[in-house]
């Protein structure tokens, strides 16, 4: 069923999916609702905003945003409410602080550590002493036994 919804998202393209029964009478509130819904990710399509998605869950989210605006919530309160229900995944542009900052920093830090470890391993290998004559003879005897 989920794959069917994904196919539907691809077929729908980037057309605006807002239906006439969703539009608020107050143009200012409708503009706020459109602005908010363009920043919220469709949980099914994942790379589209709920403003562009035609799947039922996106419509439910658009209606929820408009419902919260009619209840008198500010834009931040609406976003906080949606994030509390669906998690930060629903934001197309996640917050850049806290745990998200840590997640963004782990990749470059791991790359730097890996490169440092590679350089250290190369340098330590270059400073190794060659085998003594006795060690070479022992190694040769071991290899010939096989």
């Amino acid at each position: 069923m989920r794959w069917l919804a994904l196919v539907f998202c691809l077929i729908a393209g980037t057309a605006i999916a807002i239906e006439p029964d969703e539009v608020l009478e107050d143009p200012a509130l409708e503009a706020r609702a459109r602005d908010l819904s363009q920043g919220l990710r469709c949980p099914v399509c994942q790379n589209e905003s709920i403003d562009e998605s035609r799947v039922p869950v996106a419509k439910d989210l658009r209606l929820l945003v408009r419902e919260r605006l009619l209840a008198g919530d500010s834009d931040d309160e609406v976003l906080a409410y949606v994030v509390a229900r669906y998690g930060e995944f629903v934001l197309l542009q996640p917050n850049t602080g806290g745990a998200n900052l840590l997640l963004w920093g782990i990749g470059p830090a791991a790359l730097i550590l890996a490169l440092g470890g590679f350089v250290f391993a190369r340098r330590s290998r270059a400073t190794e002493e060659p085998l003594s004559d006795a060690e070479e003879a022992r190694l040769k005897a071991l290899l010939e036994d096989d």
Side-chain angles (χ1 to χ4, degrees), residues 27-46:
L29 277 181
E30 179 60 26
R32 285 177 55 202
R34 293 290 304 278
D35 191 42
L36 287 171
S37 65
Q38 289 173 357
L40 294 173
R41 177 189 326 268
C42 173
V44 176
C45 302
Q46 295 185 6

Side-chain angles (χ1 to χ4, degrees), residues 98-115:
N100 289 340
L101 185 61
L102 179 66
L103 290 174
W104 280 100
I106 285 175
L111 178 64
I112 291 169
L113 286 173
L115 289 174

